[in-house]
Short mmCIF file of all heavy atoms in Angstrom, two decimals:
data_model
loop_
_atom_site.label_atom_id
_atom_site.label_comp_id
_atom_site.label_asym_id
_atom_site.label_seq_id
_atom_site.Cartn_x
_atom_site.Cartn_y
_atom_site.Cartn_z
N ARG Q 1465 49.55 5.11 -12.75
CA ARG Q 1465 49.33 6.48 -13.27
C ARG Q 1465 47.82 6.61 -13.19
O ARG Q 1465 47.04 5.83 -13.21
CB ARG Q 1465 49.73 6.54 -14.72
CG ARG Q 1465 49.08 5.71 -15.62
CD ARG Q 1465 49.70 5.64 -17.05
NE ARG Q 1465 49.23 4.26 -17.70
CZ ARG Q 1465 48.15 4.18 -18.33
NH1 ARG Q 1465 47.34 5.10 -18.54
NH2 ARG Q 1465 47.93 3.09 -19.04
N PRO Q 1466 47.49 8.02 -13.15
CA PRO Q 1466 46.12 8.38 -13.09
C PRO Q 1466 45.44 8.05 -14.41
O PRO Q 1466 45.91 8.39 -15.45
CB PRO Q 1466 45.87 9.86 -12.90
CG PRO Q 1466 47.38 10.35 -12.63
CD PRO Q 1466 48.25 9.17 -13.15
N ILE Q 1467 44.35 7.32 -14.41
CA ILE Q 1467 43.70 6.96 -15.64
C ILE Q 1467 42.63 7.95 -16.14
O ILE Q 1467 42.19 8.70 -15.29
CB ILE Q 1467 42.89 5.48 -15.47
CG1 ILE Q 1467 41.76 5.75 -14.42
CG2 ILE Q 1467 43.86 4.46 -14.95
CD1 ILE Q 1467 40.77 4.55 -14.36
N PRO Q 1468 42.41 8.00 -17.51
CA PRO Q 1468 41.49 9.08 -17.86
C PRO Q 1468 40.02 8.71 -17.52
O PRO Q 1468 39.66 7.61 -17.44
CB PRO Q 1468 41.69 8.86 -19.49
CG PRO Q 1468 42.63 7.91 -19.84
CD PRO Q 1468 42.98 7.21 -18.55
N LEU Q 1469 39.37 9.90 -17.07
CA LEU Q 1469 37.92 9.73 -16.75
C LEU Q 1469 37.12 10.40 -17.86
O LEU Q 1469 37.47 11.45 -18.33
CB LEU Q 1469 37.70 10.46 -15.35
CG LEU Q 1469 38.77 10.12 -14.30
CD1 LEU Q 1469 38.60 11.15 -13.09
CD2 LEU Q 1469 38.61 8.70 -13.79
N VAL Q 1470 36.03 9.72 -18.18
CA VAL Q 1470 35.10 10.25 -19.21
C VAL Q 1470 33.67 10.31 -18.71
O VAL Q 1470 33.32 9.07 -18.02
CB VAL Q 1470 35.12 9.44 -20.43
CG1 VAL Q 1470 34.31 10.03 -21.55
CG2 VAL Q 1470 36.57 9.16 -20.95
N ALA Q 1471 33.05 11.30 -18.69
CA ALA Q 1471 31.63 11.32 -18.13
C ALA Q 1471 30.80 12.18 -19.00
O ALA Q 1471 31.22 13.05 -19.76
CB ALA Q 1471 31.68 11.81 -16.69
N SER Q 1472 29.41 12.14 -18.88
CA SER Q 1472 28.55 13.05 -19.48
C SER Q 1472 28.27 14.30 -18.72
O SER Q 1472 28.31 14.19 -17.41
CB SER Q 1472 27.17 12.26 -19.79
OG SER Q 1472 26.33 12.36 -18.71
N ARG Q 1473 27.96 15.26 -19.37
CA ARG Q 1473 27.61 16.55 -18.52
C ARG Q 1473 26.30 16.49 -17.83
O ARG Q 1473 25.79 17.36 -17.15
CB ARG Q 1473 27.64 17.72 -19.42
CG ARG Q 1473 28.95 18.11 -20.00
CD ARG Q 1473 29.02 19.36 -20.84
NE ARG Q 1473 30.27 19.56 -21.45
CZ ARG Q 1473 31.31 20.10 -20.80
NH1 ARG Q 1473 31.27 20.55 -19.61
NH2 ARG Q 1473 32.47 20.16 -21.46
N ALA Q 1474 25.55 15.34 -18.05
CA ALA Q 1474 24.13 15.16 -17.54
C ALA Q 1474 24.31 14.51 -16.14
O ALA Q 1474 23.28 14.31 -15.59
CB ALA Q 1474 23.31 14.40 -18.48
N GLU Q 1475 25.51 14.12 -15.69
CA GLU Q 1475 25.54 13.36 -14.55
C GLU Q 1475 25.10 14.23 -13.24
O GLU Q 1475 25.24 15.38 -13.34
CB GLU Q 1475 27.04 12.93 -14.23
CG GLU Q 1475 27.47 11.93 -15.20
CD GLU Q 1475 26.59 10.70 -15.51
OE1 GLU Q 1475 26.26 10.02 -14.59
OE2 GLU Q 1475 26.31 10.61 -16.68
N HIS Q 1476 24.59 13.53 -12.26
CA HIS Q 1476 24.17 14.16 -11.07
C HIS Q 1476 25.42 14.77 -10.19
O HIS Q 1476 26.39 14.20 -10.39
CB HIS Q 1476 23.33 13.16 -10.20
CG HIS Q 1476 22.72 13.66 -8.95
ND1 HIS Q 1476 23.41 13.89 -7.79
CD2 HIS Q 1476 21.42 14.03 -8.86
CE1 HIS Q 1476 22.42 14.48 -6.89
NE2 HIS Q 1476 21.28 14.44 -7.48
N PRO Q 1477 25.27 15.81 -9.53
CA PRO Q 1477 26.35 16.29 -8.85
C PRO Q 1477 27.04 15.24 -7.88
O PRO Q 1477 28.22 15.36 -7.65
CB PRO Q 1477 25.67 17.46 -7.90
CG PRO Q 1477 24.48 17.88 -8.73
CD PRO Q 1477 24.10 16.64 -9.41
N ALA Q 1478 26.28 14.28 -7.53
CA ALA Q 1478 26.85 13.24 -6.73
C ALA Q 1478 27.94 12.34 -7.43
O ALA Q 1478 28.66 11.62 -6.88
CB ALA Q 1478 25.72 12.41 -6.15
N ALA Q 1479 27.92 12.47 -8.77
CA ALA Q 1479 28.85 11.74 -9.60
C ALA Q 1479 29.88 12.84 -10.10
O ALA Q 1479 31.04 12.53 -10.17
CB ALA Q 1479 28.29 11.11 -10.77
N LEU Q 1480 29.46 14.03 -10.48
CA LEU Q 1480 30.44 15.11 -11.03
C LEU Q 1480 31.37 15.48 -9.93
O LEU Q 1480 32.56 15.68 -10.24
CB LEU Q 1480 29.56 16.23 -11.59
CG LEU Q 1480 28.95 15.99 -12.85
CD1 LEU Q 1480 28.04 17.22 -13.34
CD2 LEU Q 1480 29.85 15.66 -14.05
N ALA Q 1481 30.91 15.69 -8.67
CA ALA Q 1481 31.89 16.20 -7.68
C ALA Q 1481 33.03 15.31 -7.31
O ALA Q 1481 34.15 15.76 -7.35
CB ALA Q 1481 30.98 16.52 -6.33
N PRO Q 1482 32.79 13.91 -7.21
CA PRO Q 1482 33.99 13.05 -7.03
C PRO Q 1482 34.91 13.16 -8.20
O PRO Q 1482 36.10 13.02 -8.13
CB PRO Q 1482 33.43 11.69 -6.79
CG PRO Q 1482 31.95 11.78 -6.90
CD PRO Q 1482 31.59 13.18 -7.02
N LEU Q 1483 34.28 13.20 -9.46
CA LEU Q 1483 35.07 13.34 -10.77
C LEU Q 1483 36.01 14.57 -10.66
O LEU Q 1483 37.18 14.59 -10.99
CB LEU Q 1483 34.28 13.33 -11.89
CG LEU Q 1483 33.58 12.02 -12.31
CD1 LEU Q 1483 32.41 12.19 -13.27
CD2 LEU Q 1483 34.62 10.99 -12.83
N ARG Q 1484 35.44 15.67 -10.17
CA ARG Q 1484 36.24 16.93 -10.11
C ARG Q 1484 37.33 16.74 -9.02
O ARG Q 1484 38.43 17.36 -9.16
CB ARG Q 1484 35.25 18.09 -9.59
CG ARG Q 1484 34.25 18.48 -10.78
CD ARG Q 1484 34.90 19.21 -11.82
NE ARG Q 1484 33.86 19.67 -12.75
CZ ARG Q 1484 34.10 20.00 -14.11
NH1 ARG Q 1484 35.29 19.85 -14.57
NH2 ARG Q 1484 33.17 20.40 -14.84
N VAL Q 1485 37.11 16.04 -7.99
CA VAL Q 1485 38.10 15.85 -6.89
C VAL Q 1485 39.35 15.11 -7.59
O VAL Q 1485 40.42 15.36 -7.45
CB VAL Q 1485 37.46 15.07 -5.76
CG1 VAL Q 1485 38.65 14.47 -4.81
CG2 VAL Q 1485 36.57 15.90 -4.92
N LEU Q 1486 38.95 14.04 -8.31
CA LEU Q 1486 39.97 13.27 -9.02
C LEU Q 1486 40.71 14.18 -9.98
O LEU Q 1486 42.04 13.99 -10.10
CB LEU Q 1486 39.41 11.96 -9.60
CG LEU Q 1486 38.82 10.99 -8.81
CD1 LEU Q 1486 37.98 9.95 -9.43
CD2 LEU Q 1486 40.02 10.31 -8.03
N GLN Q 1487 40.08 14.95 -10.78
CA GLN Q 1487 40.72 15.92 -11.58
C GLN Q 1487 41.68 16.73 -10.98
O GLN Q 1487 42.80 16.89 -11.44
CB GLN Q 1487 39.74 16.76 -12.38
CG GLN Q 1487 40.12 17.57 -13.52
CD GLN Q 1487 39.10 18.60 -14.11
OE1 GLN Q 1487 38.15 18.95 -13.41
NE2 GLN Q 1487 39.24 18.81 -15.38
N GLN Q 1488 41.31 17.22 -9.87
CA GLN Q 1488 42.31 18.10 -8.97
C GLN Q 1488 43.51 17.38 -8.53
O GLN Q 1488 44.58 17.86 -8.22
CB GLN Q 1488 41.63 18.68 -7.73
CG GLN Q 1488 40.75 19.91 -8.15
CD GLN Q 1488 39.81 20.31 -6.99
OE1 GLN Q 1488 39.84 19.71 -5.96
NE2 GLN Q 1488 38.81 21.24 -7.30
N GLN Q 1489 43.30 16.00 -8.57
CA GLN Q 1489 44.40 15.05 -8.13
C GLN Q 1489 45.14 14.55 -9.22
O GLN Q 1489 46.05 13.62 -9.10
CB GLN Q 1489 43.92 13.90 -7.20
CG GLN Q 1489 43.26 14.39 -5.86
CD GLN Q 1489 42.53 13.43 -5.09
OE1 GLN Q 1489 42.34 12.27 -5.63
NE2 GLN Q 1489 42.17 13.76 -3.88
N GLY Q 1490 44.91 15.13 -10.45
CA GLY Q 1490 45.81 14.78 -11.65
C GLY Q 1490 45.27 13.81 -12.66
O GLY Q 1490 45.85 13.49 -13.51
N PHE Q 1491 43.93 13.35 -12.39
CA PHE Q 1491 43.37 12.41 -13.32
C PHE Q 1491 42.69 13.24 -14.41
O PHE Q 1491 42.05 14.23 -14.25
CB PHE Q 1491 42.12 11.60 -12.61
CG PHE Q 1491 42.52 10.55 -11.71
CD1 PHE Q 1491 42.97 10.96 -10.43
CD2 PHE Q 1491 42.47 9.28 -12.18
CE1 PHE Q 1491 43.24 9.99 -9.41
CE2 PHE Q 1491 42.87 8.31 -11.20
CZ PHE Q 1491 43.30 8.59 -9.83
N PRO Q 1492 43.08 12.96 -15.78
CA PRO Q 1492 42.44 13.71 -16.83
C PRO Q 1492 41.00 13.39 -16.87
O PRO Q 1492 40.59 12.30 -16.87
CB PRO Q 1492 43.20 13.22 -18.06
CG PRO Q 1492 44.14 12.09 -17.69
CD PRO Q 1492 43.97 11.88 -16.11
N LEU Q 1493 40.08 14.47 -16.98
CA LEU Q 1493 38.62 14.41 -17.06
C LEU Q 1493 38.14 14.91 -18.31
O LEU Q 1493 38.44 16.07 -18.70
CB LEU Q 1493 38.06 15.06 -15.78
CG LEU Q 1493 36.58 15.19 -15.77
CD1 LEU Q 1493 35.86 13.86 -15.77
CD2 LEU Q 1493 36.02 16.05 -14.72
N HIS Q 1494 37.26 14.22 -19.03
CA HIS Q 1494 36.72 14.63 -20.31
C HIS Q 1494 35.20 14.60 -20.11
O HIS Q 1494 34.74 13.47 -19.78
CB HIS Q 1494 37.18 13.92 -21.58
CG HIS Q 1494 36.75 14.62 -22.63
ND1 HIS Q 1494 37.40 15.62 -23.39
CD2 HIS Q 1494 35.54 14.42 -23.35
CE1 HIS Q 1494 36.61 16.09 -24.36
NE2 HIS Q 1494 35.56 15.36 -24.40
N LEU Q 1495 34.47 15.68 -20.15
CA LEU Q 1495 32.96 15.71 -20.08
C LEU Q 1495 32.46 15.83 -21.46
O LEU Q 1495 32.84 16.76 -22.15
CB LEU Q 1495 32.57 16.84 -19.25
CG LEU Q 1495 32.96 16.74 -17.70
CD1 LEU Q 1495 32.50 17.93 -16.95
CD2 LEU Q 1495 32.43 15.43 -17.09
N VAL Q 1496 31.60 14.79 -21.93
CA VAL Q 1496 31.07 14.96 -23.20
C VAL Q 1496 29.76 15.81 -23.25
O VAL Q 1496 28.99 15.85 -22.21
CB VAL Q 1496 30.82 13.62 -23.89
CG1 VAL Q 1496 32.17 12.85 -23.89
CG2 VAL Q 1496 29.66 12.86 -23.21
N ASN Q 1497 29.40 16.28 -24.46
CA ASN Q 1497 28.25 17.21 -24.62
C ASN Q 1497 26.97 16.40 -24.70
O ASN Q 1497 26.90 15.17 -24.86
CB ASN Q 1497 28.50 18.04 -25.90
CG ASN Q 1497 29.58 19.05 -25.72
OD1 ASN Q 1497 29.91 19.30 -24.52
ND2 ASN Q 1497 30.31 19.36 -26.80
N LEU Q 1498 25.80 17.14 -24.59
CA LEU Q 1498 24.58 16.67 -24.55
C LEU Q 1498 23.73 17.20 -25.79
O LEU Q 1498 23.97 18.29 -26.22
CB LEU Q 1498 23.80 17.06 -23.31
CG LEU Q 1498 24.55 16.86 -22.00
CD1 LEU Q 1498 23.72 17.38 -20.77
CD2 LEU Q 1498 24.89 15.47 -21.69
N ASP Q 1499 22.60 16.39 -26.10
CA ASP Q 1499 21.79 17.02 -27.14
C ASP Q 1499 20.70 17.77 -26.32
O ASP Q 1499 20.72 17.94 -25.19
CB ASP Q 1499 21.14 15.87 -28.05
CG ASP Q 1499 20.18 15.12 -27.42
OD1 ASP Q 1499 19.80 15.30 -26.32
OD2 ASP Q 1499 19.77 13.97 -28.11
N ALA Q 1500 19.65 18.21 -27.17
CA ALA Q 1500 18.55 19.10 -26.46
C ALA Q 1500 17.79 18.38 -25.35
O ALA Q 1500 17.17 19.02 -24.56
CB ALA Q 1500 17.68 19.65 -27.55
N HIS Q 1501 17.69 17.05 -25.34
CA HIS Q 1501 17.05 16.27 -24.32
C HIS Q 1501 17.98 15.94 -23.08
O HIS Q 1501 17.58 15.19 -22.28
CB HIS Q 1501 16.51 15.02 -24.77
CG HIS Q 1501 15.44 15.29 -25.79
ND1 HIS Q 1501 14.34 16.11 -25.69
CD2 HIS Q 1501 15.14 14.74 -27.11
CE1 HIS Q 1501 13.56 16.27 -26.79
NE2 HIS Q 1501 14.03 15.33 -27.65
N ALA Q 1502 19.27 16.29 -23.26
CA ALA Q 1502 20.38 15.89 -22.31
C ALA Q 1502 20.86 14.49 -22.46
O ALA Q 1502 21.39 13.94 -21.55
CB ALA Q 1502 19.85 16.14 -20.82
N THR Q 1503 20.76 13.92 -23.74
CA THR Q 1503 21.30 12.63 -24.10
C THR Q 1503 22.85 12.87 -24.39
O THR Q 1503 23.22 13.75 -25.03
CB THR Q 1503 20.78 12.12 -25.34
OG1 THR Q 1503 19.37 12.31 -25.49
CG2 THR Q 1503 21.04 10.61 -25.70
N ALA Q 1504 23.60 12.00 -23.73
CA ALA Q 1504 25.04 12.11 -23.77
C ALA Q 1504 25.49 11.65 -25.14
O ALA Q 1504 24.98 10.62 -25.66
CB ALA Q 1504 25.70 11.25 -22.71
N ASP Q 1505 26.58 12.30 -25.57
CA ASP Q 1505 27.17 11.84 -26.85
C ASP Q 1505 28.09 10.60 -26.62
O ASP Q 1505 29.28 10.71 -26.21
CB ASP Q 1505 28.07 13.03 -27.37
CG ASP Q 1505 28.64 12.65 -28.83
OD1 ASP Q 1505 28.77 11.46 -29.13
OD2 ASP Q 1505 29.18 13.61 -29.39
N VAL Q 1506 27.51 9.42 -26.71
CA VAL Q 1506 28.28 8.30 -26.25
C VAL Q 1506 29.32 7.91 -27.23
O VAL Q 1506 30.41 7.34 -26.67
CB VAL Q 1506 27.24 7.04 -26.06
CG1 VAL Q 1506 26.85 6.40 -27.24
CG2 VAL Q 1506 27.66 6.05 -24.93
N ASP Q 1507 29.16 8.22 -28.51
CA ASP Q 1507 30.35 8.09 -29.40
C ASP Q 1507 31.68 8.76 -28.91
O ASP Q 1507 32.71 8.28 -28.94
CB ASP Q 1507 30.04 8.36 -30.88
CG ASP Q 1507 28.90 7.53 -31.41
OD1 ASP Q 1507 28.82 6.41 -30.93
OD2 ASP Q 1507 28.18 7.99 -32.29
N ALA Q 1508 31.31 10.00 -28.49
CA ALA Q 1508 32.45 10.79 -28.06
C ALA Q 1508 33.04 10.20 -26.75
O ALA Q 1508 34.25 10.18 -26.52
CB ALA Q 1508 31.94 12.22 -27.65
N MET Q 1509 32.12 9.58 -25.95
CA MET Q 1509 32.64 9.07 -24.69
C MET Q 1509 33.62 7.81 -25.02
O MET Q 1509 34.71 7.59 -24.51
CB MET Q 1509 31.53 8.36 -23.86
CG MET Q 1509 30.68 9.52 -23.04
SD MET Q 1509 29.52 8.89 -22.02
CE MET Q 1509 30.62 8.65 -20.50
N LEU Q 1510 33.16 6.99 -26.09
CA LEU Q 1510 33.86 5.81 -26.45
C LEU Q 1510 35.14 6.23 -27.06
O LEU Q 1510 36.23 5.66 -26.75
CB LEU Q 1510 33.10 4.99 -27.37
CG LEU Q 1510 31.85 4.28 -26.72
CD1 LEU Q 1510 31.01 3.60 -27.82
CD2 LEU Q 1510 32.27 3.14 -25.70
N GLU Q 1511 35.17 7.29 -27.85
CA GLU Q 1511 36.44 7.80 -28.55
C GLU Q 1511 37.41 8.14 -27.44
O GLU Q 1511 38.61 7.78 -27.65
CB GLU Q 1511 36.09 8.99 -29.38
CG GLU Q 1511 36.03 8.79 -30.85
CD GLU Q 1511 35.46 9.93 -31.54
OE1 GLU Q 1511 36.00 11.07 -31.32
OE2 GLU Q 1511 34.47 9.72 -32.30
N HIS Q 1512 36.99 8.84 -26.43
CA HIS Q 1512 37.98 9.29 -25.33
C HIS Q 1512 38.34 8.23 -24.54
O HIS Q 1512 39.56 8.17 -24.27
CB HIS Q 1512 37.23 10.38 -24.49
CG HIS Q 1512 37.27 11.81 -25.10
ND1 HIS Q 1512 38.43 12.47 -25.17
CD2 HIS Q 1512 36.33 12.44 -25.85
CE1 HIS Q 1512 38.25 13.62 -25.76
NE2 HIS Q 1512 36.86 13.59 -26.16
N ALA Q 1513 37.51 7.18 -24.36
CA ALA Q 1513 37.90 6.09 -23.61
C ALA Q 1513 39.00 5.26 -24.28
O ALA Q 1513 39.89 4.71 -23.69
CB ALA Q 1513 36.71 5.24 -23.25
N ALA Q 1514 38.86 5.20 -25.61
CA ALA Q 1514 39.71 4.39 -26.51
C ALA Q 1514 41.10 5.02 -26.55
O ALA Q 1514 41.99 4.40 -27.16
CB ALA Q 1514 39.08 4.20 -27.93
N THR Q 1515 41.36 6.28 -26.17
CA THR Q 1515 42.63 6.86 -26.33
C THR Q 1515 43.62 6.28 -25.16
O THR Q 1515 44.82 6.53 -25.32
CB THR Q 1515 42.57 8.40 -26.04
OG1 THR Q 1515 42.03 8.69 -24.76
CG2 THR Q 1515 41.80 9.11 -27.11
N SER Q 1516 43.12 5.43 -24.30
CA SER Q 1516 44.10 4.81 -23.28
C SER Q 1516 43.73 3.47 -23.20
O SER Q 1516 42.53 3.00 -23.58
CB SER Q 1516 43.77 5.59 -21.96
OG SER Q 1516 44.30 4.91 -21.02
N ASP Q 1517 44.61 2.56 -22.76
CA ASP Q 1517 44.30 1.11 -22.62
C ASP Q 1517 43.49 0.86 -21.33
O ASP Q 1517 43.01 -0.30 -21.19
CB ASP Q 1517 45.57 0.29 -22.66
CG ASP Q 1517 46.60 0.79 -21.77
OD1 ASP Q 1517 46.41 1.85 -21.03
OD2 ASP Q 1517 47.80 0.30 -21.76
N VAL Q 1518 43.31 1.94 -20.55
CA VAL Q 1518 42.45 1.75 -19.52
C VAL Q 1518 41.81 3.10 -19.12
O VAL Q 1518 42.41 4.11 -19.31
CB VAL Q 1518 43.32 1.19 -18.17
CG1 VAL Q 1518 44.62 2.00 -17.92
CG2 VAL Q 1518 42.48 1.25 -16.85
N SER Q 1519 40.54 3.04 -18.82
CA SER Q 1519 39.77 4.28 -18.49
C SER Q 1519 38.62 3.98 -17.51
O SER Q 1519 38.11 2.77 -17.33
CB SER Q 1519 39.28 4.78 -19.91
OG SER Q 1519 38.28 3.91 -20.37
N LEU Q 1520 37.98 5.08 -17.08
CA LEU Q 1520 36.80 5.01 -16.40
C LEU Q 1520 35.77 5.87 -16.93
O LEU Q 1520 35.93 7.18 -17.02
CB LEU Q 1520 37.01 5.34 -14.87
CG LEU Q 1520 35.70 5.50 -13.95
CD1 LEU Q 1520 34.91 4.24 -13.95
CD2 LEU Q 1520 36.13 5.98 -12.58
N SER Q 1521 34.62 5.23 -17.37
CA SER Q 1521 33.42 6.03 -17.93
C SER Q 1521 32.38 6.15 -16.93
O SER Q 1521 32.12 5.16 -16.14
CB SER Q 1521 32.81 5.57 -19.11
OG SER Q 1521 33.99 5.35 -20.18
#
Side-chain angles (χ1 to χ4, degrees):
R1465 62 191 156 87
I1467 63 167
L1469 311 172
V1470 188
S1472 84
R1473 292 184 190 277
E1475 299 308 306
H1476 190 274
L1480 286 174
L1483 286 165
R1484 294 284 187 205
V1485 166
L1486 290 168
Q1487 185 182 32
Q1488 281 162 8
Q1489 293 170 354
F1491 288 78
L1493 171 64
H1494 189 87
L1495 296 178
V1496 301
N1497 292 332
L1498 311 177
D1499 74 5
H1501 297 309
T1503 317
D1505 182 347
V1506 81
D1507 292 335
M1509 288 188 81
L1510 291 172
E1511 256 170 51
H1512 279 282
T1515 57
S1516 169
D1517 49 2
V1518 51
S1519 64
L1520 169 60
S1521 298

